[in-house]
Amino acid sequence: KLALEFHPDRGGNTETMQSINNAYSFAVAKLAKGTQFESDEIKISEDFQKIINELINLEGLTIDIVGNWLWVHGDTRPHKDMIKSVGLWWANKKKMWYYRPANFKGGRGTKTYEQITNKYGKTTVKNSTQGGTNYLKFS
């Protein structure tokens, strides 16, 4: 709701939107680590977590969190059916897959991926193994 209200394309300002995006990224990281939220911390969509969990182990994919969107790129062709099945859409101009919350109504996507990440920042989700245990790593 905050992203819709304060998005720069809807009359908000970039600084406020970046703060919202940072809080969202924090929530994703905390949820992925399986740690508990304090009462004053942000909770995120279960759909968002489900998508990351479904795609994280697929070879050749890069998953980026950009604001409140997921962008998936890399060698996506072998995983096309799986990517579609978890609710991602193909962005033909960017040659990437994306997910956005259902309540976010976006435009026609005239900005490049680089412009989007410069504006909102980017966190890359990686699957890592340490001591035989798999976990998500955010960079």
Side-chain angles (χ1 to χ4, degrees):
K1 288 180 182 179
L2 290 174
L4 286 173
E5 183 178 342
F6 293 103
H7 194 280
D9 293 343
R10 296 178 176 248
N13 65 56
T14 301
E15 184 177 321
T16 302
M17 192 66 207
Q18 285 176 337
S19 294
I20 293 166
N21 290 338
N22 287 338
Y24 189 80
S25 293
F26 168 78
V28 169
K30 189 149 182 125
L31 187 60
K33 290 178 185 176
T35 55
Q36 295 290 328
F37 285 96
E38 299 299 326
S39 61
D40 59 341
E41 291 177 330
I42 299 171
K43 293 188 179 179
I44 65 163
S45 158
E46 288 179 16
D47 291 340
F48 203 85
Q49 179 187 6
K50 178 185 170 204
I51 290 168
I52 291 173
N53 288 339
E54 291 288 333
L55 300 179
I56 194 67
N57 292 315
L58 299 179
E59 280 295 316
L61 299 186
T62 300
I63 303 170
D64 293 331
I65 301 168
V66 181
N68 61 348
W69 290 44
L70 281 179
W71 288 92
V72 177
H73 50 101
D75 188 14
T76 63
R77 187 174 296 271
H79 309 294
K80 176 183 174 185
D81 292 336
M82 171 60 105
I83 293 169
K84 285 175 76 171
S85 76
V86 296
L88 275 72
W89 296 89
W90 178 249
N92 197 42
K93 290 181 183 176
K94 294 172 183 65
K95 304 296 183 209
M96 296 181 180
W97 293 88
Y98 69 92
Y99 171 81
R100 61 177 167 82
N103 62 347
F104 184 89
K105 303 285 189 235
R108 294 299 299 162
T110 59
K111 294 183 174 144
T112 66
Y113 184 68
E114 184 178 353
Q115 290 171 321
I116 295 167
T117 57
N118 286 341
K119 186 171 187 175
Y120 299 107
K122 173 179 75 170
T123 302
T124 300
V125 183
K126 297 179 181 179
N127 195 6
S128 213
T129 304
Q130 185 173 11
T133 304
N134 287 339
Y135 66 96
L136 296 181
K137 180 178 173 184
F138 297 85
S139 59

